[in-house]
């Protein structure tokens, strides 16, 4: 017996995803990390914060994410 999905769920998930995206994207290098950036680095990734190299596998620089500012 399938449970019905309430209309609120999609909106909640979209809002949650936007919040997570904002917290996992470095404002300096614009990399989208697969994890939420630590608050102690004031929202930037470790590499931008103190130069610690980050594993390239831990973030994505997808064409979709960068398309709007590469198209200028
Ligand atoms: Zn960064």
């Amino acid at each position: 017996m399938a449970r019905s999905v309430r209309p609120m769920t999609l909106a909640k998930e979209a809002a949650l995803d936007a919040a997570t995206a904002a917290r996992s994207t470095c404002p300096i290098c614009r990399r989208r990390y697969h994890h939420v950036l630590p608050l102690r680095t004031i929202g930037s990734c470790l590499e931008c914060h103190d130069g610690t190299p980050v594993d390239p596998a831990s973030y994505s620089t997808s064409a979709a994410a960068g398309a709007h500012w590469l198209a200028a």
Side-chain angles (χ1 to χ4, degrees):
M1 183 157 135
R3 236 179 242 188
S4 64
V5 178
R6 291 183 303 159
M8 276 302 292
T9 305
L10 269 182
K12 275 184 178 176
E13 279 182 3
L16 191 66
D17 185 65
T20 303
R23 290 171 61 199
S24 60
T25 302
C26 174
I28 298 170
C29 64
R30 309 302 297 175
R31 288 170 185 155
R32 168 77 190 265
Y33 286 83
H34 303 308
H35 57 87
V36 173
L37 295 170
L39 288 177
R40 64 188 166 83
T41 63
I42 336 237
S44 65
C45 67
L46 277 181
E47 193 167 313
C48 293
H49 181 68
D50 63 9
T52 304
V54 294
D55 184 353
S58 68
Y59 60 82
S60 62
T61 51
S62 73
H68 63 280
W69 51 272
L70 286 176

